[in-house]
Amino acid sequence: MRKDAGGAGASVAQGRFTDIAFKTVNLLLCGLVALLLLGALVSIVTRTTPQALWDSIRSDEIQFAIRLSLLTSVSSTLLCLIVGVPAAYALTHYKFRGRGILNIIFELPLALPPVVAGMALLILFGTTGFGKALSDAGLQFVFTKQGIILAQFFVTIPFMYRIMKTTFQSINPRYEHVARTLGCSDLEVFRRVTLPMARNGLIAGSVIAWCRALGEFGAAMMVAGATRMKTETLPVALYLNMTSGDLVLAVSAATMLIVIAFVALLVFEKVAGSARIF
Amino acid sequence: MKRRAGLLFVAFVCLLAACVCLSACGSEAEVAQTTTSATATAGFGEDAASIMVYAGAGMKKPMEEIGLAFEEQHGVVVEYNFTGSGAQLSQIELTHQGDVFMPGSAMYLDTAEEKGLVEYRQNVAYHIPVITVPQGNPANITCLDDLAKPDIKLVWGDPEVAAIGKTGIGIVKKAGIYEAVWKNVVATFPTMNEVMLQISLGQADAAINWWDTVKFDDTIEVIEIPREQNDIKLIPVGLLKFSEHPQTSRGFMDFCVSEQGKAIFEKHGFVTYPDPDYEG
């Protein structure tokens, strides 16, 4: 008996020891990764003097890029919400043939290199009858700001769709069923039960889609061009100025992207810390 | 069901591990092979297994072929970095690494030389600007002045990033039609590759681009710019000062301008230096 108790004590002590080792390794790796990420970001910001950085952030080119980036990314995120939420709802609530294929199609752009997406959009909206009809109707996408929004939408819709799909799937259908037995129509159930319960998913989806849209470069450049002061978003400004050797302007564009992303994720953590992304 | 999924997963992991092992063995064997052949020929009195070359994106095809031929003859692997010339200049300045720099226009090598980064240089070929139009020439462009006609849609290389963008602006300025031409530019792009693609897809009526990049493209038609209006550039190659294998790198540069190297450039549509038609 006594021996057994002693054995148990030893194994508990051993267990504690492995617990501490486990914790140390986890914390150490966590710290290392944080150091790498932070180090890389800080080295960008400290590459120039604060005065030069401030001046170039206030330059016309960077101010234009900030405004255009915010305008296009907010527009494409709203579009994503308008389209992505009903699509995810349809694919989780209705049973129909081809649902599996549709699911894959929605998530396909996730695995496509953005340049491929850009080229596909350029061909569809540029030279086909569909594209010609749209441009005759006054909806011009090639080489315009609308083209940036289109490319961002294309690249970010899978994120919105995926997040909303898992969110809807995690809602217990019983709530919706009960609401229906209490006399709600499908639309009322959606508005009064499903949507409020999907709040965190909506926030998570919007923030992720928005961050992705903000950083979108490859697809947008193919469709809209990288024309200075016309279709020059922050990532484009960063790329153009880095390639032309104008490091201060490049750094200020990068800094603005980091600041915007940081603020967005901070808000995200505060508002929807528990929302599931995948 | 669960067991089957588990089995599948194990099989997948095994496959992955096998792939990694195979590729690792393969590359080891390759390295061993090249080092033995390097010591066997060692034509440059250096123990170099490889050299690193910065080459403009437009020189990718001929340079890759030249690299293979050089490796075959001298047992030295040529590793390339193909991006825009301006970006490469920044990389060279920031890292002080690499052996040879071959930008799309002599201007970049001049800048590198001014900054004391280059020791030895050679001229390889000419970069000749031409007017490119989509197949069938929908806007009926026949000469430089046509680019200034109203309602023409042009795409252009970014004037500060792409060598062709800056060169093109110089050409239309010399012709006195810059204002009208610039009004027709609907979009600009960082490299001549994107400009070429837009013309190839018929998204714009015309663009100025390097002749060699579009020579063998069936979807693009070319209108030559007369010599007196044109601004022909030289493609140079320079030895970087901090090269760890200067003799081998010099050997590589000389190989680029040798008869064999020139033949490869000509095969890919370049006019090699010197040429009486483009001299002066």
Side-chain angles (χ1 to χ4, degrees):
Chain A
M1 263 318 253
R2 211 166 250 192
K3 225 179 183 179
D4 280 348
S11 78
V12 165
Q14 207 181 4
R16 256 196 213 124
F17 175 71
T18 47
D19 278 355
I20 291 169
F22 183 59
K23 192 174 170 184
T24 316
V25 168
N26 283 342
L27 283 176
L28 209 71
L29 285 176
C30 174
L32 273 177
V33 173
L35 214 65
L36 170 71
L37 296 178
L38 208 68
L41 297 185
V42 167
S43 70
I44 281 190
V45 180
T46 53
R47 172 80 208 175
T48 51
T49 63
Q51 187 57 44
L53 190 66
W54 179 240
D55 285 345
S56 65
I57 284 175
R58 287 175 53 199
S59 71
D60 286 347
E61 188 178 341
I62 298 298
Q63 287 288 313
F64 175 86
I66 293 172
R67 274 200 304 275
L68 183 65
S69 267
L70 289 176
L71 175 79
T72 52
S73 59
V74 168
S75 311
S76 66
T77 306
L78 286 176
L79 269 177
C80 263
L81 270 174
I82 294 169
V83 177
V85 174
Y89 185 86
L91 276 141
T92 47
H93 285 72
Y94 308 136
K95 294 216 173 357
F96 53 89
R97 279 180 72 109
R99 210 163 64 136
I101 293 290
L102 219 62
N103 190 35
I104 292 175
I105 291 174
F106 264 97
E107 291 179 8
L108 194 62
L110 208 61
L112 278 182
V115 182
V116 175
M119 213 175 138
L121 288 173
L122 190 62
I123 293 172
L124 177 64
F125 285 88
T127 42
T128 62
F130 172 68
K132 293 243 163 71
L134 275 182
S135 95
D136 286 345
L139 250 178
Q140 193 91 39
F141 286 103
V142 177
F143 307 146
T144 62
K145 294 180 178 68
Q146 294 89 287
I148 303 175
I149 298 173
L150 174 73
Q152 288 175 346
F153 171 78
F154 192 86
V155 172
T156 56
I157 187 75
F159 289 94
M160 179 66 82
Y161 167 73
R162 232 195 127 94
I163 293 168
M164 288 322 294
K165 192 183 74 176
T166 44
T167 307
F168 286 144
Q169 277 168 348
S170 69
I171 294 172
N172 192 335
R174 241 179 236 185
Y175 293 110
E176 292 169 339
H177 182 71
V178 169
R180 224 164 274 134
T181 58
L182 292 173
C184 282
S185 69
D186 279 359
L187 182 64
E188 275 174 319
V189 174
F190 177 70
R191 205 168 52 81
R192 298 170 70 168
V193 178
T194 318
L195 215 50
M197 290 186 77
R199 178 178 159 273
N200 279 355
L202 281 170
I203 296 169
S206 307
V207 172
I208 298 287
W210 183 63
C211 285
R212 291 283 313 167
L214 201 65
E216 206 335 276
F217 172 65
M221 188 187 76
M222 288 312 301
V223 180
T227 316
R228 284 179 200 263
M229 300 295 279
K230 188 181 161 203
T231 56
E232 187 182 12
T233 56
L234 278 172
V236 172
L238 169 61
Y239 180 79
L240 285 181
N241 286 308
M242 206 171 79
T243 354
S244 65
D246 209 330
L247 229 48
V248 182
L249 276 176
V251 164
S252 62
T255 308
M256 284 321 296
L257 279 170
I258 293 170
V259 168
I260 293 173
F262 188 78
V263 171
L265 289 176
L266 207 67
V267 171
F268 175 50
E269 276 288 311
K270 281 264 171 284
V271 180
S274 60
R276 283 171 48 192
I277 292 172
F278 286 112
Chain B
M1 207 49 207
K2 226 173 191 176
R3 252 186 82 185
R4 233 175 89 198
L7 266 174
L8 256 171
F9 179 72
V10 169
F12 179 71
V13 169
C14 287
L15 199 74
L16 215 69
C19 283
V20 170
C21 276
L22 268 178
S23 66
C25 297
S27 63
E28 245 165 56
E30 228 167 75
V31 168
Q33 202 185 359
T34 48
T35 38
T36 47
S37 56
T39 42
T41 41
F44 305 103
E46 282 174 343
D47 193 16
S50 68
I51 55 169
M52 214 275 255
V53 176
Y54 298 89
M59 272 81 77
K60 190 158 186 264
K61 282 177 193 161
M63 287 309 275
E64 275 178 342
E65 201 173 328
I66 283 177
L68 287 178
F70 186 74
E71 187 185 339
E72 213 167 81
Q73 285 176 26
H74 300 283
V76 180
V77 179
V78 184
E79 289 169 356
Y80 286 109
N81 171 342
F82 292 113
T83 45
S85 308
Q88 289 176 338
L89 192 57
S90 310
Q91 282 173 334
I92 291 168
E93 240 188 301
L94 287 172
T95 62
H96 279 215
Q97 277 178 28
D99 301 291
V100 174
F101 182 29
M102 185 189 274
S105 158
M107 183 195 83
Y108 296 102
L109 200 65
D110 295 343
T111 315
E113 207 163 17
E114 276 163 31
K115 292 183 175 174
L117 304 167
V118 174
E119 276 192 340
Y120 165 75
R121 63 190 279 175
Q122 290 268 23
N123 288 324
V124 180
Y126 298 95
H127 240 174
I128 303 160
V130 291
I131 300 168
T132 59
V133 296
Q135 200 177 26
N137 197 357
N140 202 16
I141 307 279
T142 56
C143 62
L144 202 57
D145 287 335
D146 284 351
L147 302 183
K149 283 197 302 198
D151 295 329
I152 298 277
K153 277 204 299 189
L154 302 174
V155 283
W156 213 269
D158 186 277
E160 280 162 61
V161 176
I164 187 64
K166 196 176 220 166
T167 311
I169 284 184
I171 293 170
V172 295
K173 272 193 176 151
K174 202 164 76 176
I177 51 173
Y178 169 72
E179 307 276 316
V181 166
W182 202 245
K183 256 186 223 147
N184 289 338
V185 173
V186 288
T188 62
F189 294 88
T191 75
M192 49 90 210
N193 288 318
E194 290 111 22
V195 175
M196 183 175 76
L197 183 72
Q198 299 289 351
I199 292 296
S200 163
L201 290 173
Q203 299 291 358
D205 299 321
I208 289 183
N209 214 333
W210 303 121
W211 195 11
D212 48 83
T213 52
V214 295
K215 218 172 206 172
F216 300 117
D217 195 321
D218 295 336
T219 60
I220 294 175
E221 288 178 23
V222 164
I223 295 132
E224 285 186 53
I225 302 170
R227 274 298 310 277
E228 63 278 9
Q229 283 190 306
N230 212 342
D231 180 14
I232 289 159
K233 298 287 182 191
L234 273 171
I235 300 172
V237 58
L239 174 67
L240 295 174
K241 211 178 86 186
F242 32 78
S243 166
E244 285 171 20
H245 311 292
Q247 294 310 319
T248 314
S249 303
R250 265 173 200 257
F252 175 73
M253 288 166 61
D254 293 338
F255 184 76
C256 290
V257 296
S258 70
E259 288 309 312
Q260 197 187 347
K262 279 182 179 173
I264 293 174
F265 265 96
E266 275 161 18
K267 196 177 107 190
H268 288 282
F270 288 82
V271 177
T272 51
Y273 177 89
D275 186 295
D277 280 353
Y278 295 102
E279 208 36 63

